[in-house]
Structure formats: structure tokens, C-alpha cells
Amino acid sequence: MKVTIKELANQLDLSIATISRALDGYPDISEKTRQRVLAAALHLGYTPDRAARQLRRRRTDTIGFILPAVAGKFPQPFFNELIAGLAAGASSRQYDLLISACADDEAAEMQLYQTWAQGHRVDGLVVIRTRVDDRRIAFLTAQEFPFVCLEPPANQPDVPGIHVDAHQALTSVVRHLARRGLNRQAFLGGPSELIIQQVRREAFRAALGAANLPIRSSWQMTSDMTSQGGYDAAHQLLTMKSAPNCLVCINDEVALGALHAASDLGIAVGKQLAVVAFDGSQTAVHATPPLTTIDQPVFALAYQLMEMLYRRLHGGIGLELQVTLQPVIHLRTSSGDTPQEIASPFVIAQDVEATIR
Amino acid sequence: MKVTIKELANQLDLSIATISRALDGYPDISEKTRQRVLAAALHLGYTPDRAARQLRRRRTDTIGFILPAVAGKFPQPFFNELIAGLAAGASSRQYDLLISACADDEAAEMQLYQTWAQGHRVDGLVVIRTRVDDRRIAFLTAQEFPFVCLEPPANQPDVPGIHVDAHQALTSVVRHLARRGLNRQAFLGGPSELIIQQVRREAFRAALGAANLPIRSSWQMTSDMTSQGGYDAAHQLLTMKSAPNCLVCINDEVALGALHAASDLGIAVGKQLAVVAFDGSQTAVHATPPLTTIDQPVFALAYQLMEMLYRRLHGGIGLELQVTLQPVIHLRTSSGDTPQEIASPFVIAQDVEATIR
DNA sequence: GCAATTCCCTAAAACGTTTAAGCCAATCAT
DNA sequence: ATGATTGGCTTAAACGTTTTAGGGAATTGC
């Protein structure tokens, strides 16, 4: 049934070592023999057994990714692009991507990380949704197991990963909106243990300060980062006695929920209320109204994360530890803007005027 | 560095065979010894090497899933839930999920399937986005390699998989809308080589016939199943001299694009135009307006697909080949309905009246 | 008291590769 | 003609498990 290297060797009357080396392109096999081997391999449909190869080579050519926490509670567009990017990045390097889900239970999660790291199941890991005092990072660091993070903790410069610079982008957007009279800006965040929540919330508050806007703690909400969570939080904010007139959301899902809440309350988004999202994928473009977003290129980011991990695994030069990416700002109707794309240095034309009261 | 079974054996002064059997819970190891082994394993942090185990056991405990075609062109909510469901289903059975992406190139795709199947990389495969005359199915069948499909081809009853019954649901929905005077119904589909496109389009046309509505081929559009594709197709339809007043979409993404197009054209969805989507996840709930959907529970479906594959791999009783699931209909504002959920037999109350002209 | 049985453990083979070491014949340098 | 080099292959060990077959001591049956 299964065709092994041994059969190939028998058929061709060569040793298995020759077959192996011929297929791997070693120079000490004559061209003639190699061609014979190649032809026979193709003909018999021979593919090296992965387990045997892994065992012998002491590596798996596989990168692991463990879906954090509760199934079905992923912010969808984000995870989707992330996985696509990871898979594409991995397969471009001839790596596979091994994925597992785990329950929303820290013990189970750590168990999984341990099994994978210590059982040689993968060569490296990608960690996302990093948390404050993240046990996963502590464990992997202690084990000296190769990994990269999306959004490594700010106070740990030795943890390899990629940041998206929320600070600059938020400063520009908040200032831009403030100039247009949107002086009551609220933040719809995520779970407070997430690094991105910390980072983006702080960046937002700093931006408010820089724009001389009031910082009200009651306008800084948390959520589970789903659209339902966004709906609930926005509904609450918008029915306050003193409601904000601008909602900056931690991701697209939350922003969609906010749009829905506004619509239910009869509030015209883009006129009476500005909504700004983070992440920014196709979803945002086709929302009603189209969402203004701070756009991190998730697919490319995941792809780059893979490359980074690859370089860590293969030594090589240029081992940057942490990289910071600048997102792109997309102004759209949800903030009352004329659609417009703004790249990295974030110079938003001051004469952009719009119709928000 | 890496702790193997051998070290454990040395430490405890036992043979490696004993260790292995103790950890696997064989009854011919004394309870006392087993406890010693367990304790030592925990203490040293021993985890069996996966490659070695795979090689010896001749199985991988891994299920494969190959992302079809172009990166970034996945319908997002669908794939997201699918992967979450697959991962959850796999890990509930102690399986891992191996994922790879491949370029939009049939040859590369087949190469990948071959490597995985013949290289013993996975024990089974999940195939989605099945196509008419699908080479993947032909190959796997010929190889007698275990797999399951989402939407197996209708004319191949021997291919294991899960169907979602579009026929009944579409009949109900089309009739329901027809009763309300929506007599100009169009279909926004996907790429014509996909089985779901064939199935849903045919079901839609049959439903039109059953409801005595006109079947116009110019109202049957194809798309790439992205929201952009939906936008383009809807825009085209809605600017026809004789435009439809109801758009039935093959998935949520396309429907979102359609909503956007309608909004751009100043058409009030739920009043002048009904939009119906397929797939139905959170996305649809928080669209503006909320989308009426024919709701296939993608997460559960993926989970069940995994269970099916598991049963195929482990023999066992009840080896159903094909299963048909009944979707649930969610009436929401995008079709001018009062929000309402309708389960399987699809009896839509006839007195539901709404505001579409 | 002896054979049979049970209990707990071990030795060794096997899984399918890769790779280090080495061998033989042919070619080359002198 | 001889020793050194090279090209092209093979032998055998190793990777870390699981499993088959069996072995020795203790217990049991009579």
C-alpha cells in the first residue's frame, strides 16, 4: 500500500541512502542516477514519511498556533485574516501550520503549550492576544522555546514580536476629529487583561490630553471584543445623560455593534456621531455607513510574523527582536469624512471639513 | 535538554518499555510503579516525542485542512467559524489540525494533497468548497484516503460529507417573500464551479417556479463571494432598467456588499428592497439593517464534520455516509420582517405582514 | 512438594528516514 | 608503475517511541 524508500531502493537496485541523497540533491550522486531515482519516485508516487523524517532530522517543519479561549468568540475578520496570513507565510517557507483550540481555561491552555513545546510537536509558536503577565510567554521564555508574539508586552523588550503603533495613529485621528468639533470622545475597548487594550486605551487617553479634550473614565468601556459586546457598550454610552459624540473602537467587530446600536437609537452615524474602528479589513469598507478605520494589515502582519519566526529558527542575520508597524488611516463616512487614505506620517489635511455638528 | 523516555527509565531504574506502558495505563504494571512513573514524568516534564510515536504507531492523530485558493479572498465569517469548529472538534478528540494555504493553482493544490496523503502527514482530510468534477475528491477516493466533505457533489452519494439543505429553506423564504408582493427576486451567487453555487441556484430557481414567480437569467449573478463582489453585482442589478426588488445572496459577505450598494444608491433596504443572506453568523445580526438569513450553524457543522471523520477513522458503528442538515431561518429587518426565528419544518406564519411596498 | 498460574517487568525489534563513515574502482599526478 | 585523489555508491547507526514475546519470581492448586 504505502510506498517507502526501501521499495524504491529495491526496484532500482540501489541502497536507501542513495535514494535519500538523490532526492535531496546531494552532489555525490551522479546525475544519471538521480534522474532514474526521480523518475521512479514520481512513477511510484513516493513521498517521504513525515514522522520518520521528523524523528531523524530532529525538527518538524511545523509552526504551532493555539486559538486562545472561547470558541466562537473570536473577532472574526481579524482571526480570519490572521490565520490566512500565517498559513500563507508558513507554506511559503515549506512549513506547515498546526492549530489547536483550547477551552477558556488557563490550566488547559498551559497544558497544551507544554505538550506542544516539550513533545517536539512544533518547531516554533505564534502567540497572540498577549496578556498582562502572560504565563505563556513566561513558560516559553523559560523553556527557551522559539516563538513570536503579536503585540509583545511593552515592558519586555526581549520578547520577540511585532507591534502596531497605536499611539501615533490615534493621536492623529483624535486631533483630526477634535478639530472638527468632536470634543466628547469615548473609547470602546476589550478585556482589560489584553495588552492591546492597555496600549490602545493609554494611547487614546494620551491623544485626548494632547488635543485638550476631557478624559472621562466613564467613557472608557471594556467589552469582549465581539459585535454583541460592542452593541451593548455603545448602547450604554449613547443613552447616558451626557453621551459622547465620538466612539473610538478597539476593533471592527465592536464598531459594527456600535453602528447597530446607533441605528437602533435613531442616531445618524457620520452626522450626529462619529465611529472609528481599529483593524480595518474588507468588513469595514462595506459597513453601513463605511467605517473610518485605523488599519493594521492583518494578513501581511501575520505573514511577517511567520518570517520573523523563521529567521529565529534559522539563525541568520538581522535578528530584529521587535518591529513596530505603522497602521494606515482610512477616513470614511462613519466619521463624517470624505473617503481618503492616509499613510504613515499621518498628516491629515487640515482643511478637510465635514458635516458633523 | 530534551527529556526522553530513556532518561526517565534510568532515573527510576526501570526499562523504557515499563515507562511507556505505565504512562499508557496498561494493566500489567503495578499501581505502585505507575505512580512512581507518573510522578517522575511530571517532575521532569516528560512529554512523549510526537514524531517517534507517530512513526511507531503508524498514525498521526492529525487532521488536515487545506485552505482553498487565493489568500484574502475567503468569505470571512464563514471561514472563521469553520476553522474554530474544526479545531474544537479535533481537539475534543485529541486530534490536531494541520492547516496549509495554497496558491490558486490546481497543480499546486493537488501536489499538496498528494504530499499530505502519501507522506502520512495527516490521518484524514476535510475538503470544503467542493467543485464540480473535483480533482481532490477523485484523488482521495482513488487513494482510499479518509476524508469528509462539506457539500459533497449531489451525484456522488458515496462521497462522505454533510449537506445543508438549501432547497426547503429557500422554498419557504421565497414563498414567504412572494406573498408579501416581492415578485422580482434575484440571486447573487458565487463562482459557478462550486457545488454550493449549483445547488443553491437550482434550489432558488425551483423555489421561484413553485411560487409562480418569473425566472430571469439576467437576475442570476455570479461573484467571487466577497463583499466587494457582492457590491459590484448588486450595483449592477439595482441599476438595471428593470431592477429586482429582492436579492437572495449566497453568503453573508455578498449580502453585506449588497447592503452597501443599496445604501449608495439611496435604496432603503427593508422598505424598497429585501436582502436575504445565507450562512448567518454574528455578522448578519449587526449589519445595518440586520440581515435576514438562512442560517447554517457553521461552527457546529465543522464540529460535526470532524466527528464524522473521526468515526470513519475508527470504524465503529453508524457510519453514515452523507448527512443533511436543515438550516434555520432568521427573519430580520433587511427583508422588512419583524425579527423572528424559524426552525426546520419552515412554517412561516402567513399573517406576518410587513412594510415592503 | 511440584506443576501451573499469575504478576510484573524486560529485551529486542520495528517504524522509515537521514547522515557519518567508509569502501571500491577509476582517474590523476609524478 | 605507484601513490594520491576523486566520484559514486553502500553500510550501519541513530532518532524516541510502542509492542511482541517472553522471563523470573511469587503465588496458587492439588
Side-chain angles (χ1 to χ4, degrees):
Chain A
M1 187 67 249
K2 172 79 205 303
V3 35
T4 79
I5 203 176
K6 210 177 279 180
E7 286 181 51
L8 209 50
N10 285 343
Q11 294 251 344
L12 294 176
D13 215 20
L14 289 169
S15 77
I16 58 168
T18 306
I19 308 293
S20 175
R21 317 204 94 223
L23 291 176
D24 275 7
Y26 281 73
D28 61 353
I29 305 293
S30 74
E31 194 49 34
K32 197 177 121 229
T33 311
R34 183 197 321 293
Q35 290 307 334
R36 279 214 306 148
V37 173
L38 249 46
L42 198 63
H43 178 241
L44 294 185
Y46 167 73
T47 314
D49 182 278
R50 185 164 172 79
R53 168 176 280 179
Q54 284 182 13
L55 179 57
R56 176 61 228 221
R57 284 196 179 155
R58 311 277 23 177
R59 56 170 225 247
T60 64
D61 293 331
T62 302
I63 299 300
F65 173 66
I66 297 178
L67 282 173
V70 199
K73 272 215 175 174
F74 318 120
Q76 302 189 347
F78 174 79
F79 269 83
N80 199 69
E81 287 203 30
L82 185 83
I83 288 177
L86 291 178
S91 60
S92 81
R93 303 288 195 177
Q94 316 275 43
Y95 270 72
D96 285 328
L97 184 64
L98 194 62
I99 292 191
S100 192
C102 73
D104 190 9
D105 166 8
E106 272 221 26
E109 186 178 46
M110 287 313 295
Q111 174 64 41
L112 202 50
Y113 272 86
Q114 193 169 330
T115 310
W116 278 22
Q118 296 185 341
H120 269 196
R121 199 166 295 212
V122 294
D123 293 343
L125 280 164
V126 174
V127 175
I128 67 159
R129 277 210 168 183
T130 46
R131 306 187 271 259
V132 183
D133 290 327
D134 202 308
R135 288 180 62 191
R136 302 170 296 175
I137 294 179
F139 171 75
L140 295 174
T141 308
Q143 295 279 321
E144 299 185 29
F145 193 88
F147 72 102
V148 291
C149 283
L150 183 51
E151 301 288 352
N155 57 350
Q156 297 188 38
D158 50 323
V159 172
I162 300 182
H163 295 280
V164 172
D165 184 6
H167 205 277
Q168 276 206 50
L170 277 172
T171 303
S172 303
V173 168
V174 165
R175 188 185 49 208
H176 167 67
L177 295 176
R179 281 204 188 109
R180 296 236 318 279
L182 291 160
N183 52 359
R184 311 167 58 77
Q185 303 192 7
F187 182 70
L188 267 71
S192 55
E193 73 270 19
L194 292 190
I195 294 285
I196 53 164
Q197 162 68 4
Q198 302 249 324
V199 168
R200 292 183 190 172
R201 184 170 184 272
E202 274 325 299
F204 177 71
R205 293 171 71 102
L208 287 184
N212 283 319
L213 291 185
I215 305 179
R216 292 214 203 171
S217 288
S218 60
W219 284 354
Q220 328 264 300
M221 307 282 284
T222 58
S223 78
D224 61 0
M225 304 226 300
T226 65
S227 41
Q228 187 60 51
Y231 181 93
D232 297 340
H235 201 280
Q236 203 175 322
L237 277 172
L238 294 175
T239 52
M240 281 178 172
K241 40 270 148 211
S242 77
N245 57 7
C246 174
L247 305 178
V248 175
C249 305
I250 195 167
N251 71 354
D252 289 352
E253 295 281 289
V254 166
L256 289 180
L259 290 184
H260 187 195
S263 155
D264 277 3
L265 293 169
I267 300 173
V269 175
K271 302 243 170 15
Q272 303 164 264
L273 174 73
V275 174
V276 176
F278 218 109
D279 278 5
S281 50
Q282 276 302 94
T283 318
V285 182
H286 293 290
T288 314
L291 276 168
T292 285
T293 53
I294 296 170
D295 199 346
Q296 44 176 341
V298 182
F299 183 91
L301 205 153
Y303 197 95
Q304 194 174 341
L305 222 37
M306 269 294 166
E307 285 193 321
M308 214 168 158
L309 185 50
Y310 179 86
R311 280 200 298 275
R312 294 194 75 73
L313 289 172
H314 291 74
I317 35 174
L319 267 190
E320 69 293 65
L321 258 176
Q322 296 193 350
V323 172
T324 299
L325 293 186
Q326 292 300 333
V328 170
I329 298 175
H330 278 273
L331 297 182
R332 299 201 186 89
T333 348
S334 76
S335 57
D337 286 282
T338 343
Q340 158 176 199
E341 177 176 331
I342 292 146
S344 185
F346 300 136
V347 184
I348 300 186
Q350 303 203 9
D351 54 352
V352 171
E353 279 310 326
T355 52
I356 301 206
R357 97 173 83 121
Chain B
M1 186 68 250
K2 173 77 205 304
V3 36
T4 77
I5 203 175
K6 212 177 275 181
E7 285 181 51
L8 209 50
N10 286 343
Q11 294 252 344
L12 294 176
D13 214 21
L14 288 169
S15 76
I16 58 167
T18 306
I19 308 292
S20 174
R21 317 205 94 223
L23 291 176
D24 274 8
Y26 281 73
D28 61 353
I29 305 292
S30 74
E31 194 50 34
K32 197 178 117 228
T33 312
R34 184 198 319 292
Q35 291 307 333
R36 281 214 304 148
V37 172
L38 249 46
L42 199 61
H43 177 241
L44 294 185
Y46 168 72
T47 313
D49 183 277
R50 185 166 172 76
R53 169 176 278 183
Q54 283 182 14
L55 178 56
R56 176 60 229 218
R57 283 197 176 153
R58 314 274 42 223
R59 56 168 221 248
T60 63
D61 293 330
T62 302
I63 300 299
F65 173 67
I66 297 176
L67 282 173
V70 198
K73 271 215 176 175
F74 318 120
Q76 303 187 347
F78 174 79
F79 270 85
N80 199 68
E81 289 204 29
L82 185 84
I83 288 176
L86 291 177
S91 59
S92 81
R93 304 287 195 178
Q94 317 274 43
Y95 269 71
D96 287 327
L97 184 64
L98 194 63
I99 293 193
S100 192
C102 73
D104 191 10
D105 166 7
E106 273 222 26
E109 186 178 46
M110 287 313 294
Q111 175 64 42
L112 203 48
Y113 272 85
Q114 193 169 330
T115 310
W116 278 21
Q118 296 184 342
H120 270 198
R121 198 165 296 210
V122 294
D123 293 343
L125 280 164
V126 175
V127 175
I128 68 160
R129 277 209 168 181
T130 46
R131 305 186 273 258
V132 183
D133 290 327
D134 201 308
R135 287 179 62 191
R136 302 169 296 174
I137 294 179
F139 171 75
L140 294 174
T141 307
Q143 295 279 320
E144 299 185 29
F145 192 87
F147 72 102
V148 291
C149 284
L150 183 52
E151 301 288 351
N155 57 352
Q156 297 187 39
D158 50 322
V159 173
I162 299 183
H163 295 280
V164 172
D165 184 5
H167 206 276
Q168 277 205 48
L170 277 172
T171 303
S172 303
V173 168
V174 165
R175 190 186 46 209
H176 167 68
L177 295 175
R179 281 204 189 110
R180 297 234 318 279
L182 291 160
N183 53 359
R184 309 166 61 77
Q185 304 192 7
F187 182 71
L188 266 73
S192 55
E193 72 271 21
L194 293 190
I195 295 285
I196 54 164
Q197 162 68 3
Q198 302 249 324
V199 167
R200 295 182 187 172
R201 183 170 185 272
E202 272 326 300
F204 177 72
R205 293 170 72 103
L208 287 183
N212 283 319
L213 291 184
I215 306 180
R216 291 215 204 169
S217 288
S218 60
W219 284 354
Q220 328 265 299
M221 308 280 284
T222 57
S223 79
D224 60 2
M225 304 227 299
T226 66
S227 41
Q228 187 59 51
Y231 181 93
D232 296 341
H235 200 281
Q236 203 175 324
L237 277 171
L238 295 173
T239 51
M240 281 178 171
K241 38 275 148 202
S242 76
N245 56 6
C246 174
L247 304 178
V248 175
C249 305
I250 197 167
N251 71 353
D252 289 352
E253 295 282 287
V254 166
L256 287 180
L259 290 183
H260 188 196
S263 156
D264 277 3
L265 293 169
I267 300 175
V269 173
K271 301 241 171 10
Q272 303 164 265
L273 174 73
V275 173
V276 176
F278 219 110
D279 278 5
S281 51
Q282 276 302 91
T283 319
V285 182
H286 293 289
T288 312
L291 275 168
T292 287
T293 53
I294 296 170
D295 198 346
Q296 43 177 342
V298 181
F299 184 91
L301 205 152
Y303 197 95
Q304 192 174 342
L305 222 37
M306 267 296 166
E307 286 193 319
M308 211 167 160
L309 185 50
Y310 180 87
R311 281 202 296 279
R312 294 195 75 73
L313 290 172
H314 291 76
I317 35 175
L319 268 189
E320 69 294 62
L321 257 176
Q322 296 193 350
V323 173
T324 300
L325 293 186
Q326 291 300 333
V328 170
I329 298 175
H330 278 273
L331 296 183
R332 299 200 187 88
T333 347
S334 76
S335 58
D337 286 280
T338 343
Q340 158 178 199
E341 178 177 332
I342 292 145
S344 184
F346 301 136
V347 185
I348 299 185
Q350 301 202 13
D351 53 354
V352 173
E353 279 309 326
T355 52
I356 301 204
R357 94 172 84 118

